[in-house]
Every structure is written in structure tokens, then in C-alpha cells.
């Protein structure tokens, strides 16, 4: 019984420590560099869309459709918020 | 008396002030009307133009909600020559089919967005023989890098099922065997996910809690059409990193753990743990767009005792481990002149090894090579040659053979489009 408690305690420590590290990483480590922040929408569009499929033509969808597709793509490709916003802005402005 | 006089005087003055203002305002309107009357043509043109612009703004004005349908259709023709050799005796079978019934798919995906925080996704699918659902979920975008999702979700295991399975994205005609269908791609549950920057790099996380699969009497697992009758849930997660600032390389690690036993069966304590590694590299090198993708799955199920189908009075057991791997390379000369830039050469190797000494034990090796022609960024015609060899490893005691192998050679012509 004592051995089980010790094992459980060790597991709790491991889980708690992992969660603590992830929290630090999540809240403080998640900033982009100036190089990344300065990228334009067209650059992010060219780099990220082709990770899975061909780069989409801006004229394929309307501005409202790009807004909706952007959310879908952000959740699939796990784009950062900055990437999604810049790519959608580029697609919306270029499609007109 | 003085107060009363003051009140009367103040009221009279106030009313006079209002009256004068009203008269002055009417005079201004009359002046405007008279000016309109003096230039009717110019003002009518302006008014018509303003009306047209207002109408255009009303049409294009973004609302809170937006609904749209996108989706895909995949169809084609397949010719297959199959040679099955059992204990040295071979049998040849030739088949062909329109529209390649094993790879046919029409899947309209419905997306409904409410504001910038809520997204509903639903994708039913017709595969030529039955209707199904690929996913149906609701996502709430809580904050940058944090999305919460619930419903019938695609499990975050590897990269293929979530991103590469669509016909107009897959460079070849078939899904890699053992990757797309095992473990299952979708399940009921909740998920948290997000992509976050990390200096010049990026990383992402994707964790789900779902009902889980169920172990069957032969050691395989079933995901759809089951009743979740136990309290076990399955935890699935993937972490990935994109180490280069141009996002050309992504490395992912996935894991899955959960109870898979039917509470009313002998397998109620059965557990499964799975791991996956995925690799994705896309970059233009010397004017050639190189696209390299790979995924390795390892599936382990606790050893259980199964009823021998050839002798129901006895049981058997085996190491229930399954591995599957695919590696593919495609190249496209995006700077080539004319229609040449629309061609893409693709190749893939697949290995799928199911447990030796099980009823379904086999080793599958497959080599695919194909050429794609891209009409548009989302419309493609593929001509693919597939060479697949399946070697059975079921022991004789379970109904197997001394030697058992099947060689499939296929030519697939496939068209796929996103609409």
C-alpha cells in the first residue's frame, strides 16, 4: 500500500511538473521573432499553404468565404493567429 | 408676483427662440430645395450613384454569420491484375471498375461561421456504396493559440488523416494502407488545439479525449458503429515543431492511450497504446518543388486470449502489435514553360505489418508511382501504377497456409477536385 502511494505520488509529481513546464512555455515562450513578425501576407501564404496543398488562388473565393475558410484552415494546419490574419487579409485584398 | 412675471417672460422668450429656429431651418431647407430645383440633372446623377454604392455596400457588408459549402469529389477507373499463390498454386484474377469503387468519394463540407469565434464543420460522405460522416464538430476560438472543439472529431494522430487524405491533396490515387483506416480517423469527444510562435520557429499541440475503439474477437479494433459501454476513454495527442522560419519542415510526434474492452466481454481490461512519427518537408530547390511526406504508426494492444475459429474449444494469443509506414516524394517543375509546370511526378512506398500468428497477420509492401496533371490548384488528374504484395502470416493452426501471398498490380486513372 505504501509502495502504491509512493508510485502515485511520483506520477503526480511528474504530471504536475510537466504541466508547469508547458504552462511556462505556453505563456512566456510563445512569442515570434522580428523576422517572423515582419513577414507579409503573401509570403506567409506561399510558405504555409503549400505544406499540404497547392497555394490557393485569391480569386477562388469571396472575402466572406475566405474569412470562414481561414478559421477552418487555422484549425487544420494549426497556423498561428498572426499567420492566419495576414494570409486572409492578403487573399481578401488580392481577390478583388 | 415678480417670480410669476419672470416665469412668464422666460417661457415666452424660450418659445420665441424655438419658433425663430424653426423658421430659419425651414428657410435653409427651402434654399436647398430651390438649389436642387435649379440643378436637377447633377443631383439626380449623384443620388443615383449614392444609391448604387449603398446597395453594393449592403451586399458586401460582412454579417455576423456566414455559411458556405466546400467539398471534394474523387472518381476514376481502376484496372487490377491479382495473382494469389497458396502453397505454390497460383490463381490470376483481373478486374476493372468505373468509377474505381474503392476510391470513389463525394464529400460536401458545410462550414458555418458565427463572428470570429465560432465555427461549425460538418462533412458527410458518399463512397459509392454507403453514406458516412467524416467529421461533425463545433470549434470555439478562445484566444490566439487556443481552440476548443467538440463533436465527431478527427483524431490528432499523425498528419495523414487530418491534412493529407483528401483526393485533391493526395498526390497518389490510394490512401496508404494501414495509415488512413487504422487507427480510426474520427471519434466522439472533445479537443484542445492551437499553433503558437516560438521565436523563429513554430510549434503546435493537439489533444483529444474521446470514447475510444473496441476490441473484436480476432484482435482487431473497431471504431464506428459501436456502443460505448465502459467508463474508459481514449487520450490522443500530437505535438509538432516547425524549426525553420519558412515553415518548410514539420516534425510531429503523436500518442494514443485508452481502454478498448467491451464491458460485457472477456476483453473488458484490454488497453491499447499507439505512437506515430510524422515528417513533412516542402521546398523549392533549384526550381523544382520538392514535397516529402512520411508517417510511421506503431500500435500495441494488450495480450488477450481469443477463441480459435478452427477449434472453438481452444483459445490462442499473440503479440498484438501492428506497424505501418509510408514515405512519399513528389516533384514539380513550377518554373517550367507552358503546361510542363502543371505536371507533378509522385512516388510512394508503404509497409503495413499486422500481428504474426493472428488470423489477420500479413506483411504488405506497396510501391506506387504516378504522374499528376494539375488543371488548377485544386483540380487534378492522376495516372498511377500500384504494385502491392501481401504475404500472409496466419499459422496453419488458425486456418492459415504453408505459404500464402497475393500480388496486386493496378493502374488507376483518377480525377479529384475541390469545389
Amino acid at each position: 500500500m505504501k509502495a502504491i502511494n509512493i508510485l502515485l505520488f511520483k506520477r503526480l509529481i511528474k504530471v504536475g511538473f510537466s504541466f508547469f513546464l508547458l504552462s511556462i512555455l505556453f505563456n512566456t515562450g510563445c512569442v515570434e521573432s522580428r523576422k517572423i513578425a515582419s513577414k507579409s501576407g503573401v509570403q506567409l501564404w506561399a510558405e504555409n499553404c503549400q505544406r499540404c496543398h497547392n497555394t490557393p488562388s485569391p480569386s477562388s473565393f469571396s472575402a466572406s468565404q475566405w474569412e470562414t475558410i481561414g478559421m477552418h484552415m487555422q484549425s487544420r494546419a494549426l497556423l498561428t493567429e498572426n499567420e492566419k490574419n495576414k494570409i486572409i487579409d492578403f487573399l481578401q485584398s488580392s481577390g478583388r | 408676483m415678480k417670480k410669476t412675471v419672470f416665469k412668464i417672460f422666460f417661457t415666452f422668450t424660450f418659445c420665441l427662440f424655438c419658433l425663430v429656429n424653426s423658421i430659419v431651418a425651414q428657410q435653409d431647407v427651402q434654399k436647398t430645395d430651390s438649389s436642387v430645383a435649379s440643378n436637377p440633372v447633377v443631383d439626380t446623377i449623384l443620388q443615383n450613384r449614392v444609391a448604387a454604392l449603398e446597395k453594393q455596400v449592403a451586399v458586401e457588408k460582412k454579417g455576423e454569420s456566414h455559411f458556405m459549402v466546400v467539398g471534394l469529389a474523387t472518381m476514376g477507373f481502376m484496372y487490377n491484375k491479382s495473382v494469389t499463390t497458396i502453397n505454390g498454386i497460383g490463381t490470376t484474377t483481373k478486374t476493372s471498375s468505373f468509377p474505381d469503387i474503392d476510391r470513389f468519394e463525394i464529400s460536401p463540407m458545410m462550414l458555418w461561421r458565427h463572428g470570429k469565434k465560432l465555427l461549425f464543420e460538418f462533412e458527410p460522405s458518399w463512397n459509392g456504396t454507403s453514406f458516412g460522416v467524416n467529421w461533425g464538430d463545433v470549434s470555439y476560438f478562445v484566444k490566439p493559440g487556443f481552440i476548443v472543439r467538440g463533436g465527431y472529431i478527427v483524431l490528432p494522430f499523425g498528419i495523414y488523416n487530418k491534412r493529407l487524405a483528401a483526393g485533391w491533396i493526395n498526390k497518389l490515387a490510394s490512401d496508404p494502407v494501414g495509415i488512413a483506416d487504422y487507427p480510426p480517423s474520427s471519434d466522439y469527444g472533445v479537443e484542445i488545439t492551437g499553433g503558437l510562435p516560438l521565436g523563429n520557429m513554430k510549434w503546435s499541440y493537439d489533444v483529444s479525449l474521446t470514447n475510444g475503439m473496441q476490441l473484436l474477437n480476432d484482435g482487431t479494433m473497431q471504431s464506428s458503429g459501436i456502443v460505448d459501454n465502459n467508463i474508459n476513454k481514449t487520450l490522443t495527442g500530437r505535438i509538432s515543431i516547425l524549426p525553420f522560419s519558412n515553415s518548410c519542415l514539420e516534425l510531429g510526434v503523436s500518442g494514443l492511450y485508452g481502454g478498448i474492452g467491451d464491458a460485457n466481454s472477456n476483453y473488458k481490461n484490454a488497453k491499447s497504446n499507439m505512437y506515430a512519427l510524422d515528417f513533412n518537408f516542402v521546398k523549392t530547390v533549384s526550381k523544382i518543388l520538392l514535397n516529402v511526406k512520411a508517417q510511421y504508426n506503431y500500435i500495441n494492444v494488450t495480450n488477450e486470449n481469443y477463441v480459435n475459429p478452427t477449434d472453438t474449444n481452444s483459445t490462442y494469443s499473440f503479440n498484438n502489435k501492428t506497424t505501418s509506414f509510408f514515405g512519399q516524394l513528389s516533384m514539380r517543375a513550377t518554373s517550367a514553360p507552358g503546361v510542363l509546370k502543371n505536371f507533378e511526378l509522385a512516388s510512394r512506398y508503404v509497409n503495413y505489418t499486422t500481428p504474426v500468428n493472428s488470423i489477420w497477420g500479413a506483411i504488405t509492401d506497396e510501391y506506387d508511382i504516378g504522374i499528376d496533371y494539375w488543371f488548377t490548384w485544386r483540380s487534378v488528374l492522376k495516372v498511377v501504377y500500384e504494385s502491392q504484395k501481401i504475404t500472409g502470416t496466419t499459422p496453419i493452426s488458425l486456418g492459415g497456409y504453408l505459404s500464402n501471398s497475393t500480388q496486386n498490380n493496378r493502374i488507376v486513372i483518377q480525377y479529384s477536385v475541390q469545389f
Side-chain angles (χ1 to χ4, degrees):
Chain A
M1 187 67 183
K2 189 177 178 182
I4 293 173
N5 285 338
I6 292 171
L7 188 63
L8 186 62
F9 179 71
K10 283 181 179 176
R11 282 185 180 173
L12 282 172
I13 292 292
K14 283 179 187 173
V15 169
F17 186 65
S18 303
F19 183 74
F20 175 69
L21 279 179
L22 278 174
S23 300
I24 292 176
L25 185 67
F26 192 91
N27 288 304
T28 65
C30 299
V31 291
E32 55 190 16
S33 64
R34 281 186 191 175
K35 180 181 178 182
I36 300 295
S38 65
K39 287 194 174 190
S40 64
V42 62
Q43 194 174 0
L44 293 169
W45 163 81
E47 290 175 353
N48 285 279
C49 297
Q50 68 174 10
R51 285 162 50 198
C52 298
H53 53 68
N54 295 325
T55 46
S57 166
S59 61
S60 297
F61 298 103
S62 70
S64 291
Q65 288 174 327
W66 278 127
E67 190 78 43
T68 303
I69 291 169
M71 290 176 75
H72 171 69
M73 283 289 106
Q74 183 180 18
S75 68
R76 281 303 164 115
L78 299 179
L79 303 171
T80 67
E81 188 74 11
N82 183 49
E83 286 176 333
K84 189 261 292 189
N85 290 337
K86 284 189 174 180
I87 291 172
I88 297 307
D89 285 345
F90 160 70
L91 290 168
Q92 289 175 328
S93 61
S94 300
R96 292 177 191 149
Chain B
M1 184 63 179
K2 284 183 180 178
K3 282 186 182 177
T4 306
V5 170
F6 178 76
K7 284 180 187 175
I8 293 171
F9 175 76
F10 178 78
T11 306
F12 176 75
T13 307
F14 180 74
C15 290
L16 184 63
F17 176 77
C18 291
L19 183 62
V20 167
N21 262 329
S22 175
I23 292 170
V24 169
Q26 284 180 4
Q27 285 179 340
D28 287 342
V29 170
Q30 285 170 1
K31 282 180 184 175
T32 305
D33 288 344
S34 64
S35 69
V36 169
S38 67
N39 296 298
V41 175
V42 173
D43 288 329
T44 301
I45 292 174
L46 276 174
Q47 284 177 0
N48 290 340
R49 180 68 184 140
V50 167
L53 284 170
E54 283 175 345
K55 187 176 178 183
Q56 190 177 351
V57 167
V59 169
E60 293 184 357
K61 182 182 175 185
K62 291 180 183 179
E64 280 275 347
S65 292
H66 179 257
F67 176 81
M68 65 183 292
V69 180
V70 286
L72 68 95
T74 299
M75 59 196 69
F77 171 80
M78 184 270 298
Y79 168 81
N80 180 42
K81 178 182 172 185
S82 181
V83 179
T84 300
T85 306
I86 297 177
N87 296 336
I89 300 172
T91 307
T92 302
T93 310
K94 295 179 185 177
T95 57
S96 67
S97 74
F98 279 113
D100 180 15
I101 209 68
D102 288 335
R103 297 157 189 81
F104 177 86
E105 181 180 2
I106 290 183
S107 303
M109 178 172 63
M110 288 158 231
L111 298 175
W112 174 66
R113 168 178 59 86
H114 184 69
K116 293 179 184 289
K117 291 280 192 178
L118 203 61
L119 179 69
F120 167 78
E121 304 166 297
F122 177 61
E123 183 170 289
S125 184
W126 166 249
N127 67 359
T129 54
S130 61
F131 277 108
V133 174
N134 290 338
W135 56 80
D137 55 58
V138 178
S139 301
Y140 184 71
F141 292 70
V142 180
K143 55 179 270 189
F146 187 37
I147 303 169
V148 178
R149 180 175 298 122
Y152 190 61
I153 60 177
V154 180
L155 290 181
F157 190 80
I159 193 175
Y160 190 85
N161 286 333
K162 266 213 174 189
R163 300 191 205 167
L164 308 178
W168 63 278
I169 294 177
N170 184 2
K171 305 292 184 184
L172 292 140
S174 305
D175 292 322
V177 64
I179 293 281
D181 52 358
Y182 197 88
S185 59
S186 300
D187 197 1
Y188 298 96
V190 293
E191 181 182 11
I192 57 170
T193 184
L196 293 154
L198 196 64
N200 278 334
M201 303 187 289
K202 280 187 304 192
W203 71 287
S204 72
Y205 68 96
D206 200 344
V207 183
S208 73
L209 189 67
T210 58
N211 281 342
M213 296 162 282
Q214 201 165 84
L215 188 66
L216 299 179
N217 291 331
D218 58 359
T220 57
M221 285 182 283
Q222 182 179 351
S223 59
S224 60
I226 58 175
V227 176
D228 185 30
N229 63 359
N230 56 39
I231 62 170
N232 296 316
K233 293 292 169 275
T234 292
L235 185 67
T236 310
R238 177 179 181 267
I239 290 181
S240 79
I241 187 162
L242 288 84
F244 301 127
S245 60
N246 59 8
S247 303
C248 68
L249 175 65
E250 182 176 5
L251 304 168
V253 177
S254 308
L256 183 152
Y257 179 78
I260 55 173
D262 181 343
N264 298 324
S265 73
N266 294 331
Y267 316 124
K268 58 188 174 188
N269 296 319
K271 301 278 190 294
S272 176
N273 57 286
M274 310 180 187
Y275 307 100
L277 303 172
D278 59 78
F279 175 96
N280 188 19
F281 176 78
V282 183
K283 190 170 173 26
T284 299
V285 177
S286 300
K287 298 185 180 179
I288 302 288
L289 179 64
L290 286 180
N291 194 319
V292 183
K293 298 188 190 322
Q295 183 171 320
Y296 172 78
N297 289 5
Y298 170 84
I299 297 167
N300 179 52
V301 174
T302 49
N303 290 349
E304 304 291 329
N305 290 314
Y306 306 97
V307 176
N308 188 330
T310 62
D311 177 11
T312 54
N313 292 320
S314 67
T315 61
Y316 71 104
S317 184
F318 56 91
N319 287 328
N320 199 340
K321 298 182 196 324
T322 300
T323 61
S324 49
F325 167 80
F326 88 91
Q328 75 179 44
L329 167 68
S330 66
M331 296 181 289
R332 184 175 177 185
T334 51
S335 301
V339 297
L340 286 177
K341 62 178 179 293
N342 298 333
F343 284 96
E344 184 167 14
L345 187 65
S347 61
R348 181 196 286 156
Y349 168 70
V350 181
N351 175 274
Y352 178 43
T353 302
T354 51
V356 177
N357 296 328
S358 70
I359 294 172
W360 45 296
I363 300 172
T364 302
D365 285 294
E366 181 171 328
Y367 299 86
D368 302 343
I369 186 161
I371 188 152
D372 303 340
Y373 183 81
W374 294 93
F375 298 100
T376 67
W377 67 274
R378 49 179 174 169
S379 169
V380 60
L381 179 69
K382 312 171 202 172
V383 179
V384 183
Y385 173 74
E386 300 176 353
S387 174
Q388 182 190 69
K389 183 172 182 182
I390 305 171
T391 304
T393 57
T394 303
I396 294 174
S397 60
L398 295 178
Y401 305 96
L402 275 174
S403 65
N404 168 22
S405 67
T406 301
Q407 175 68 44
N408 293 310
N409 294 309
R410 303 187 199 100
I411 293 176
V412 184
I413 302 172
Q414 185 184 86
Y415 174 73
S416 188
V417 61
Q418 187 219 46
F419 52 83

